[in-house]
Amino acid sequence: MQSPVCLIDNDVDGKLFVKESALQILQKIEQPVVVVAVVGLYRTGKSYLMNRLAGKQTGFELGSTIESKTKGIWMWCVPHPTKAGTTLVLLDTEGLGDVDKGDSKHDTKIFCLAVLLSSTLVNNSQGTIDNKAIEELQYVTELTEYIKVKSSDDDEDDTEFVKFFPSFIWVVRDFTLEQKIKGKSVTEDQYLEFALKLKSGNSRPVKEFNLPRECIRNYFPSRKCFTFPFPTTSEKVSRLESLDSADLSFEFLEVTDRFCKFIFDKSEIKKLKDGYIVTGRVLCQLVKTYVDTISSGQVPFLENAVLTVSVIENESAVKEGLQVYQTGMEKLKDSFPLELRDVCAEHERLSSIATQTFMGRSFKDSEGTYTKCLEEEMNKLFDGYLHLNEEASKKRCENLLTTLSAPMTEKLKQGFYAIAGGYVLFSQDLEDIVKKYKTQANKGVKAEDTLEEFLKQKSVDSNAILQADKKLTETERKIMEEREKAVLLAQEINTKEQKQRQLEEKMEAERKSNEERMRQMKKKMDEEIKLQREEAERGMDSKLREQAALLEKGFNEKADRMTKDIEDFKRKNKEAEKKSDKLFKKVIENMNKRHDETVNLMMRQHSEQMKTIMSMQRPSSDSSALLLCLLLGGLSGGSGSSSCSCSCPC
């Protein structure tokens, strides 16, 4: 993006809505995003900081009058300067406290959206962090009215906020005080902690004093502070975006550089519940979900928003996986006909890649619904390609036999075999066709089926020629009839045995595919559990730090109450992990069940085919000898072929 665009705007009634053109930009971003949002009173220089983060002098509009320039929330997406393969999304929010607004809750909604969408929240204020500045940040105390973690919880669940909320940075502009507490120099962070220090007591004024401070301390996982001196002389401040570095104070530029470096180095990629990484495309869905919910007067539930996004993402993940599979199989189709083992091998390879593609995008598929969908759809496509391969094989084999038998067909038309001894001539030609057919490569899976059908067709001609051949005696004719039956029976057995081998190859392909699915699913589960734990540890670390600070400052009663919160936090995390583990095991169990059902069906088919082969009528001993003669000496063996040395009547 060369310049910012409006992401969330206000209509004439002050109702928030999302700009479609901005969503289209986010939709195209497949990279993970670091989202930095700035909030604060209007006319405090928020836009300047965002322009600097974008690496530009101008971009977000800077107001030079008492009128607020930024309305709604504006967005600027730029390549992250230090994290390769990551996009930095900058959100400049409408100035809080603008007297022109009619909706008293409008500022709170803007503040909530900034919290919900960002991975780093920058609060920009002027002067000092005193009680007035903290009171002006009253919106933080109203977050529980506009944000809930779970729709199923009746109790306040703000203890969970720390797991999902962004890191918090307080930027103090035009800071002129000495950074000292009780005469001792302190760091910017120590200054912030001093400003957020709680008061002892339970009176109403004390509770009102402590409430915003407690919210900041308890909701956000980390805090940081930067104090900026005046950038330049008062008469030049209104032209800040057009000033050269030489016109700005060295101290101001130094803090600006530190601020930008901290954002670039420390701001984390935006994540959803359970640690799922947010891309621009996912952020697009979050923006729509949150704005639509808040604008309708409802409370956005973090868990529900994640579920809404997960449905969209999982459906798209299935489509992407199938696209990968189908694209590869379409390329393979150009090489049909192929042996079944070759088609199965490519199916295994592509289904593995497709599953990997699916796993990379899917999340919270806790019941395996979309995993099952991908698996079933790929199997349907696989069956379709197997059918196409069979058709291609049959067509090739039929064309091949038609070409090879063309001279015989012509001879039949001309009555070439309608002479004494014509049966031997016909048998020799037929044997030659079969031999040539057998030597042809790339016939595919229907080679034996097609040959069996061909021989059955030719047996009609063969029998007619046999009965008309005056050279043969009645005994020789009966022997040749037996020979014909043995040939057809042998070919029928060949066909069924080929089908058996192909079924075994399919079973082996299914076994390998299932093993690969299990491996990838296990990997996905381990990754999700790991992210879930990291999220819980992040929240726990923040709570333990806060408890230690309370104890250090003598707030033993508050620290004791926090102990219960921490125990509840641990319990909820353990329960969530156990629930995830149970669901994952159920998914694996269901996948194995589907695999067993498929294999059992194949096994039944295999068994039935074996029974059919075993129950097929075998040639008599004389016929068996004839068949052996045929196999050793060829189809014309019964007419005195020199290659036959058996003792049969041939």
Side-chain angles (χ1 to χ4, degrees):
M1 295 175 61
Q2 296 302 311
S3 60
V5 297
C6 185
L7 174 64
I8 302 170
D9 203 353
N10 310 304
D11 62 18
V12 290
D13 297 323
K15 188 177 180 180
L16 297 171
F17 69 95
V18 184
K19 301 281 281 189
E20 190 62 36
S21 56
L23 290 180
Q24 290 175 3
I25 294 171
L26 284 177
Q27 186 68 36
K28 295 176 183 177
I29 300 175
E30 299 290 336
Q31 295 179 338
V33 292
V34 172
V35 187
V36 180
V38 62
V39 296
L41 297 179
Y42 75 107
R43 297 296 299 115
T44 53
K46 301 188 309 297
S47 300
Y48 174 81
L49 290 180
M50 302 305 270
N51 288 339
R52 286 300 304 268
L53 288 174
K56 302 291 184 180
Q57 186 77 7
T58 60
F60 290 111
E61 189 172 0
L62 275 64
S64 57
T65 68
I66 60 171
E67 179 188 4
S68 174
K69 289 294 182 181
T70 303
K71 299 296 182 182
I73 297 179
W74 284 65
M75 174 186 76
W76 200 350
C77 303
V78 296
H80 199 286
T82 61
K83 291 182 173 69
T86 304
T87 297
L88 178 62
V89 179
L90 304 172
L91 301 179
D92 188 13
T93 67
E94 181 174 340
L96 306 177
D98 187 354
V99 293
D100 289 337
K101 297 170 189 171
D103 183 0
S104 60
K105 294 296 183 181
H106 181 84
D107 285 351
T108 305
K109 294 175 184 178
I110 291 290
F111 186 85
C112 285
L113 286 170
V115 170
L116 289 168
L117 297 175
S118 65
S119 52
T120 295
L121 181 72
V122 179
N123 179 55
N124 190 83
S125 68
Q126 278 186 317
T128 61
I129 307 179
D130 53 15
N131 194 47
K132 182 176 182 296
I134 293 176
E135 286 178 349
E136 287 171 346
L137 196 57
Q138 61 179 340
Y139 316 104
V140 75
T141 67
E142 301 173 10
L143 287 176
T144 53
E145 298 178 28
Y146 285 86
I147 301 175
K148 300 288 184 182
V149 175
K150 298 179 182 179
S151 57
S152 58
D153 285 353
D154 295 328
D155 299 331
E156 292 291 340
D157 52 8
D158 59 336
T159 56
E160 295 271 298
F161 283 175
V162 70
K163 290 169 63 176
F164 318 117
F165 272 23
S167 57
F168 182 84
I169 299 177
W170 195 316
V171 167
V172 186
R173 306 292 289 275
D174 304 339
F175 185 77
T176 57
L177 300 178
E178 286 189 88
Q179 231 164 253
K180 289 184 177 182
I181 299 174
K182 295 180 180 179
K184 183 180 177 182
S185 295
V186 294
T187 65
E188 293 164 313
D189 292 342
Q190 289 171 331
Y191 171 65
L192 175 60
E193 294 307 305
F194 178 77
L196 297 178
K197 183 180 177 181
L198 304 179
K199 282 185 178 181
S200 300
N202 293 312
S203 65
R204 183 175 178 179
V206 169
K207 288 180 179 179
E208 290 176 351
F209 177 89
N210 286 342
L211 180 58
R213 291 165 173 81
E214 287 178 327
C215 290
I216 294 171
R217 299 175 75 97
N218 294 330
Y219 293 172
F220 300 98
S222 65
R223 299 185 292 276
K224 182 72 179 172
C225 182
F226 290 91
T227 55
F228 284 73
F230 272 102
T232 184
T233 57
S234 57
E235 63 270 14
K236 293 181 179 179
V237 169
S238 61
R239 296 183 288 107
L240 195 58
E241 63 182 353
S242 62
L243 296 179
D244 292 331
S245 297
D247 296 319
L248 300 174
S249 73
F250 171 80
E251 292 80 6
F252 178 82
L253 291 174
E254 186 273 330
V255 179
T256 302
D257 289 341
R258 279 197 298 111
F259 169 78
C260 291
K261 186 177 187 306
F262 182 86
I263 292 287
F264 297 150
D265 294 344
K266 302 298 182 181
S267 290
E268 296 183 353
I269 289 170
K270 173 70 176 173
K271 293 179 181 178
L272 294 180
K273 188 176 182 294
D274 296 333
Y276 184 78
I277 290 176
V278 173
T279 62
R281 184 188 63 244
V282 174
L283 183 62
C284 170
Q285 300 299 333
L286 286 176
V287 172
K288 287 197 293 185
T289 300
Y290 288 139
V291 172
D292 289 347
T293 303
I294 290 175
S295 295
S296 65
Q298 297 177 322
V299 177
F301 294 97
L302 295 177
E303 195 171 71
N304 290 357
V306 171
L307 289 174
T308 299
V309 173
S310 73
V311 170
I312 297 169
E313 284 299 289
N314 286 331
E315 288 176 351
S316 298
V318 172
K319 290 179 182 178
E320 279 191 15
L322 289 176
Q323 183 63 42
V324 168
Y325 179 82
Q326 194 165 12
T327 300
M329 291 300 283
E330 283 294 313
K331 291 179 181 178
L332 185 71
K333 189 176 74 172
D334 296 336
S335 303
F336 286 173
L338 293 169
E339 293 298 331
L340 181 61
R341 61 179 174 273
D342 297 325
V343 182
C344 286
E346 188 65 0
H347 163 71
E348 290 168 34
R349 188 184 74 84
L350 290 171
S351 62
S352 174
I353 298 173
T355 303
Q356 189 174 1
T357 301
F358 167 81
M359 294 292 183
R361 180 165 182 175
S362 70
F363 76 105
K364 291 195 75 67
D365 184 21
S366 53
E367 296 182 0
T369 304
Y370 297 95
T371 305
K372 179 184 177 183
C373 179
L374 174 69
E375 181 185 330
E376 290 177 344
E377 291 300 317
M378 280 198 296
N379 286 336
K380 285 180 186 177
L381 288 172
F382 181 44
D383 289 341
Y385 285 111
L386 289 178
H387 180 67
L388 291 175
N389 187 51
E390 288 176 357
E391 288 184 336
S393 173
K394 185 176 181 180
K395 185 176 181 181
R396 176 175 172 78
C397 292
E398 287 176 343
N399 291 340
L400 181 59
L401 286 168
T402 299
T403 301
L404 292 173
S405 63
M408 172 186 277
T409 303
E410 188 61 31
K411 287 179 180 180
L412 284 168
K413 287 181 181 179
Q414 295 175 3
F416 179 79
Y417 304 113
I419 58 173
Y423 178 76
V424 172
L425 296 174
F426 180 84
S427 296
Q428 287 173 339
D429 285 348
L430 185 59
E431 176 189 351
D432 187 50
I433 291 169
V434 173
K435 282 182 177 179
K436 288 180 179 177
Y437 176 81
K438 292 281 188 181
T439 59
Q440 294 293 319
N442 304 322
K443 294 188 294 293
V445 296
K446 302 296 281 185
E448 299 297 338
D449 293 76
T450 312
L451 179 58
E452 180 184 354
E453 188 177 334
F454 175 78
L455 291 176
K456 284 179 179 178
Q457 292 171 351
K458 293 306 174 187
S459 68
V460 177
D461 296 325
S462 177
N463 188 57
I465 294 169
L466 175 62
Q467 299 304 323
D469 195 332
K470 304 295 185 182
K471 189 175 180 180
L472 298 173
T473 65
E474 190 63 27
T475 300
E476 289 174 329
R477 212 174 262 114
K478 287 182 179 180
I479 291 172
M480 292 303 104
E481 286 174 355
E482 285 295 311
R483 177 179 174 278
E484 290 281 347
K485 292 178 183 178
V487 169
L488 291 176
L489 180 59
Q491 183 55 42
E492 187 178 354
I493 292 172
N494 282 347
T495 300
K496 284 183 167 51
E497 287 178 344
Q498 183 189 44
K499 288 181 179 179
Q500 283 292 79
R501 290 192 299 272
Q502 290 173 353
L503 186 57
E504 289 165 3
E505 288 172 358
K506 284 185 70 175
M507 290 170 65
E508 179 64 11
E510 168 60 24
R511 183 188 67 79
K512 289 181 179 178
S513 293
N514 187 63
E515 285 181 354
E516 178 61 17
R517 283 195 299 270
M518 292 296 104
R519 186 192 68 79
Q520 292 201 31
M521 177 56 74
K522 181 66 167 58
K523 181 181 178 183
K524 177 74 171 179
M525 290 175 178
D526 290 344
E527 288 174 353
E528 292 197 357
I529 289 291
K530 179 174 176 285
L531 289 172
Q532 196 171 336
R533 285 174 182 165
E534 288 176 351
E535 177 185 83
E537 288 170 1
R538 175 172 172 253
M540 182 58 67
D541 288 345
S542 177
K543 287 183 177 295
L544 290 173
R545 287 196 308 271
E546 204 55 48
Q547 186 184 46
L550 289 173
L551 289 170
E552 183 183 349
K553 301 298 182 182
F555 291 94
N556 296 335
E557 187 178 343
K558 288 182 180 293
D560 289 341
R561 287 201 299 268
M562 199 167 183
T563 298
K564 183 181 181 302
D565 290 341
I566 290 172
E567 291 304 316
D568 288 342
F569 189 78
K570 287 180 181 178
R571 177 181 54 79
K572 287 181 179 180
N573 289 331
K574 285 182 180 179
E575 288 174 355
E577 190 171 320
K578 285 181 180 179
K579 182 180 178 181
S580 296
D581 187 57
K582 186 177 180 180
L583 288 170
F584 286 152
K585 286 179 179 176
K586 186 67 176 178
V587 171
I588 292 290
E589 181 184 328
N590 289 336
M591 290 176 73
N592 278 322
K593 184 179 178 181
R594 291 196 299 273
H595 168 68
D596 290 343
E597 289 172 353
T598 301
V599 171
N600 288 337
L601 177 62
M602 291 181 176
M603 288 294 290
R604 286 197 296 272
Q605 292 175 344
H606 188 275
S607 178
E608 289 168 4
Q609 288 181 3
M610 283 299 295
K611 287 179 182 177
T612 302
I613 293 173
M614 297 302 294
S615 65
M616 291 178 69
Q617 183 180 357
R618 300 288 166 172
S620 63
S621 57
D622 285 346
S623 297
S624 297
L626 279 169
L627 180 56
L628 179 61
C629 169
L630 166 68
L631 296 174
L632 294 174
L635 284 168
S636 61
S639 301
S641 173
S642 60
S643 62
C644 181
S645 58
C646 69
S647 58
C648 65
C650 63

